[in-house]
Amino acid sequence: MTQIHNIGTELDWVVLIIYMVAMLLFGTYFAKYNKDTNDFFFGGRRFTWWIIAMSIVATGISSHSFVKYSAMGFKYGFSSSMSYMNDWFFVPFFLFGWLPIIVYSKIRSIPEYFERRFSPSARFFVTILQLMYLIGYVGIGFLTMGKAIMPLMPEHLTVFGFQIHITLMGLIWVTAIVVGSYITFGGQTAVIFTDLVQGAMLLFAGLMVFIVGVAYVGGWHSFWNLLPASWKLPFAGFNSPAEFNSVGTFWEDAIAGSVGFLFMNMGLIMRFMATKNVHEGRKAATVNILFMLPISAIVVGGGGWVAKAISVLNPNLIPKNVNPDSIFVLVSNIITGPGVFGFVIAAIAAALMSTVSTLLNATAAIWVNDVDKPVRVWLKKIKRDDPSDEKRAMMVARVSTAAFTVLGVLAVYAFSSYPTVYQAHAFFHATLTPPLMIAIFFGAFWKKFTPAGLISTVVGGVALMLLGFRFPLELIQPIAHGTPYDPIHPFTYMAALYNLIVCTGVAVIVTLLQKQLKHIASRIKKIPNHNVIMYSMVVFIVAVFIIDILDIFFKINISPLAGLVTLTIFMTICVALVTTFYVKYDAEAQTTGLTVWSIHKAKEWFKGSKLNEREGENVKVHYKIVDGDEDVINFSQKDMHKMAAEPGDLVYITDTRKWLGGLKSCHSVFGKPHKEDGIVYFRNLHLGKGLFVEGRLLEAEKEM
Amino acid sequence: MPLDFFNVWLPYIYLYVGGGIFFVAGMILIRRTKAIDMRLKRDRFWWKIMLLGFVYYAIIHLILIIAALYW
């Protein structure tokens, strides 16, 4: 494949650099809204649905989308949009299951949920998987960014007489430094607001490329007729070719990818947690999936579709063996003029900043909450219930953001062997999503799911997945729906189905056998040297895992497939037994408020008292400062009656300027009523949290 | 790619039957667990939105297939 260089003009570079610097400054401006880690990670839980829906667009579209969907659009047509229009199936689980659970349980990260639902050891395993997932995603972002900018770069650059050969990895390192520095200082509010601008810019740039491109080939009629019918279908061929087919995309993207994105992507989840309440989160998610994703499908794939039409119209304009990952940049250069092309590339660059910054922010949140704090508790430097040292936590968040930026770049090396970003991303989804997906799904929706089920899935399930990676013909091909075997990257998509089956199988079997496992564990406990038995099992588990890894990654044929499968199944049984033996688990206490079966209880916990679900009206008020430092605000008797509120209920109060999207707002609790209608009594802390402007009208809403 | 049932309609059927199983399971689960409270006007609104969303995407894909084949 040909790598294109030196496209674009100096003006394009000027536009690109100005745009990037402007975004950097815009993001760091919002650092002033970071009063504590709650603001840094969750933006103070204050925003309205539209601001979050728009900021999700930038994260959802992201730079890899432009590159990968245009590549597939160029090769296969409108079916490149498949992944953008298959996310609705899990909406009921998300809107009325996972979203209220994570908001009402007040968790700060997904691994924290697993500790409360299962055990600290479950949190440990999930933290590892979650960090791998996020770092992998950051790596995909960096890889794409490098591939997008590469065509603009010369092959060599001369600096102070030294000739520097420009490589993909070199370019990625430079990009990482820029992105890392911006997110390290900005925080979640910066991410949300830069994403808001970037989302709009991305939609504009992508639609512009598509519309200008259609005009370039002679208008819609000409564009439509240039393309063959098979190329206009919304789905790829059922099971071929190996690199892009419908059935593979269904399992890899509609199932694993959709759940990965909605349920596991901590970056996205933190956005929903930044909405002012669950209802606003639902609106943001729904608008995004119903309206923004179909538009995004055109935005990200349009460049490739136009490129195909151009290649039919004028075969000399686009080289036949062009690297598909360069197609969006190439076609943008063909159809736009100097400066405009720079803007389009700047929009992609900004998209990378959005995606990667969101993920890095999420990764830092996991590090602070799931690694740093538990380790300090374990080292007895702090107690579990100690109030968090905000200054230190912010410092750790910033340092870890920088460290994960570096790890993200290192992850690129794992993906760079794939011919296209699309396939690299598919491999990533198919491999890393299933164990976490099963863990989250069964954890949140199946009350009977136990710590033994979870940890066996994470350890045993992953080991069985590794065997599928090593023996694709024997283990994946029978369920591959006839998709062709590619010896270099075997069953990139259908591996998702295999991985889901083995993880589900382990989770279900171990959970259903819980009674028997408990019985065996209690019998072992009666044996005088039971600890020796347990330690032997742990050694056996580690040994089998190492054997599996050696066999897979170093192709050392330690045992035939049947032997390895048998060993791995025994190892999984041992994991289940060891977990049942050691982990204390109170099924009643650890499921209440943490599964879909007890959402009402979760709401009560969130509020701290019985719910008041009487429907009232919002009221408009001015504020007055009174002495005191308790987190309550007081309304008049009449205003409280209008809101159907009682002292102790939760209240959200915001500046009435809708376009601020809740930036100037805060949550509090209703205090005892006073007699001044149209006035709310604030303490100084509310002024600090809400950044309200004196004299401005405010709107108050009873939450629950 | 031949424009036969296997490549034109089977991907559509597979997506909406396969995906539909997950979707219906989700709808049943949130009703059974009372995570969605049908006594509340707001939740009834969401129930309808979820059903309409499924139909909305199925219709979009159907129109796109017909457009590709016959327009």
Side-chain angles (χ1 to χ4, degrees), chain A residues 330-486:
Chain A
L330 184 63
V331 78
S332 304
N333 185 50
I334 292 170
I335 63 173
T336 59
V340 179
F341 174 61
F343 164 72
V344 172
I345 298 303
I348 301 187
L352 171 98
M353 286 168 69
S354 294
T355 309
V356 173
S357 57
T358 298
L359 294 166
L360 286 172
N361 190 252
T363 319
I366 290 175
W367 185 263
V368 168
N369 295 312
D370 304 302
V371 180
D372 186 62
K373 193 178 172 189
V375 166
R376 282 165 60 77
V377 170
W378 186 62
L379 292 173
K380 295 184 178 161
K381 290 197 171 180
I382 55 168
K383 286 182 184 161
R384 183 170 293 275
D385 299 325
D386 282 353
S388 58
D389 176 352
E390 288 297 334
K391 204 174 164 188
R392 189 185 176 281
M394 286 291 283
M395 192 270 291
V396 172
R398 290 190 163 122
V399 171
S400 58
T401 302
F404 284 116
T405 306
V406 175
L407 287 174
V409 179
L410 294 176
V412 175
Y413 292 96
F415 300 119
S416 53
S417 75
Y418 281 86
T420 60
V421 174
Y422 194 96
Q423 285 162 278
H425 203 200
F427 164 73
F428 165 75
H429 266 161
T431 310
L432 277 173
T433 310
L436 259 181
M437 173 183 165
I438 298 302
I440 289 177
F441 242 77
F442 285 169
F445 299 105
W446 192 21
K447 270 192 298 187
K448 285 184 179 172
F449 194 43
T450 58
L454 175 91
I455 294 173
S456 305
T457 304
V458 173
V459 181
V462 168
L464 288 167
M465 281 167 51
L466 290 172
L467 292 183
F469 188 67
R470 172 75 173 89
F471 301 99
L473 281 173
E474 294 84 351
L475 296 175
I476 304 180
Q477 195 171 43
I479 53 163
H481 290 58
T483 53
Y485 171 68
D486 171 0

Side-chain angles (χ1 to χ4, degrees), chain A residues 665-686:
Chain A
S665 66
C666 76
H667 293 269
S668 189
V669 177
F670 283 99
K672 285 183 181 166
H674 55 67
K675 288 179 180 168
E676 282 187 88
D677 290 342
I679 299 290
V680 57
Y681 290 173
F682 276 163
R683 276 72 185 168
N684 275 321
L685 74 109
H686 302 112

Side-chain angles (χ1 to χ4, degrees), chain A residues 11-72:
Chain A
L11 181 62
D12 294 320
W13 276 104
V14 171
V15 172
L16 176 65
I17 290 165
I18 290 174
Y19 189 100
M20 297 291 272
V21 171
M23 279 297 130
L24 198 72
L25 295 175
F26 187 69
T28 45
Y29 165 79
F30 287 96
K32 73 174 184 179
Y33 287 91
N34 297 329
K35 301 285 179 213
D36 52 29
T37 45
N38 188 41
D39 290 325
F40 189 81
F41 293 133
F42 306 110
R45 291 178 172 153
R46 65 177 94 192
F47 296 107
T48 49
W49 66 270
W50 64 267
I51 215 161
I52 297 300
M54 200 63 199
S55 77
I56 292 169
V57 170
T59 305
I61 290 180
S62 70
S63 58
H64 64 73
S65 300
F66 273 96
V67 171
K68 78 179 205 177
Y69 292 110
S70 283
M72 285 306 175

Side-chain angles (χ1 to χ4, degrees), chain A residues 85 88-89 92-93 96 224 229 232 234-235 237-239 246 250-251 255 279 282 286 289-290 294 445 481 596-597, chain B residues 1 6-7 11 14-15 18-19 22-23 26-27 29 33 35 42 46 49-50 53-54 56-57 60-61 65 67-68 71:
Chain A
M85 292 167 65
W88 195 252
F89 306 122
F93 290 105
F96 284 88
W224 188 257
K232 289 183 277 196
F235 301 111
F238 181 69
N239 60 5
S246 285
F250 174 80
W251 289 106
I255 305 301
H279 185 61
R282 284 177 186 142
T286 305
I289 298 174
L290 283 183
F445 299 105
H481 290 58
V596 72
W597 297 85
Chain B
M1 181 178 80
F6 193 72
N7 288 313
Y14 197 94
L15 178 68
F22 287 99
F23 179 76
M27 295 293 270
L29 189 73
T33 58
R42 192 181 259 191
W46 281 114
I49 291 289
M50 287 187 286
F54 186 86
Y56 164 83
Y57 268 117
I60 288 181
H61 275 129
I65 292 173
W71 288 349

Side-chain angles (χ1 to χ4, degrees), chain A residues 120-136:
Chain A
S121 49
R123 180 181 189 161
F124 168 76
F125 284 108
V126 170
T127 300
I128 293 172
L129 282 180
Q130 183 82 29
L131 286 175
M132 284 170 69
Y133 175 82
L134 288 169
I135 292 168

Side-chain angles (χ1 to χ4, degrees), chain A residues 197-419:
Chain A
V197 176
Q198 287 168 3
M201 290 296 176
L202 279 172
L203 289 178
F204 178 71
L207 285 174
M208 182 182 72
V209 167
F210 181 61
I211 292 166
V212 173
V214 169
Y216 184 90
V217 296
W220 179 258
H221 190 70
S222 170
F223 169 73
W224 188 257
N225 290 325
L226 277 169
L227 306 172
S230 64
W231 208 85
K232 289 183 277 196
L233 284 168
F235 301 111
F238 181 69
N239 60 5
S240 64
E243 68 165 16
F244 189 57
N245 53 72
S246 285
V247 67
T249 308
F250 174 80
W251 289 106
E252 173 271 316
D253 190 273
I255 305 301
S258 296
V259 174
F261 194 64
L262 265 179
F263 290 69
M264 286 164 44
N265 188 325
M266 195 61 206
L268 193 77
I269 285 173
M270 284 163 69
R271 292 301 169 80
F272 292 119
M273 289 164 91
T275 52
K276 67 179 187 185
N277 56 38
V278 169
H279 185 61
E280 292 289 303
R282 284 177 186 142
K283 281 202 264 186
T286 305
V287 168
N288 184 57
I289 298 174
L290 283 183
F291 303 109
M292 302 317 286
L293 287 186
I295 295 171
S296 302
I298 299 170
V299 166
V300 298
W305 308 343
V306 165
K308 176 72 175 178
I310 292 173
S311 71
V312 175
L313 190 70
N314 187 348
N316 298 325
L317 266 178
I318 296 175
K320 270 191 178 157
N321 59 346
V322 65
N323 182 345
D325 283 340
S326 303
I327 207 71
F328 181 81
V329 179
L330 184 63
V331 78
S332 304
N333 185 50
I334 292 170
I335 63 173
T336 59
V340 179
F341 174 61
F343 164 72
V344 172
I345 298 303
I348 301 187
L352 171 98
M353 286 168 69
S354 294
T355 309
V356 173
S357 57
T358 298
L359 294 166
L360 286 172
N361 190 252
T363 319
I366 290 175
W367 185 263
V368 168
N369 295 312
D370 304 302
V371 180
D372 186 62
K373 193 178 172 189
V375 166
R376 282 165 60 77
V377 170
W378 186 62
L379 292 173
K380 295 184 178 161
K381 290 197 171 180
I382 55 168
K383 286 182 184 161
R384 183 170 293 275
D385 299 325
D386 282 353
S388 58
D389 176 352
E390 288 297 334
K391 204 174 164 188
R392 189 185 176 281
M394 286 291 283
M395 192 270 291
V396 172
R398 290 190 163 122
V399 171
S400 58
T401 302
F404 284 116
T405 306
V406 175
L407 287 174
V409 179
L410 294 176
V412 175
Y413 292 96
F415 300 119
S416 53
S417 75
Y418 281 86

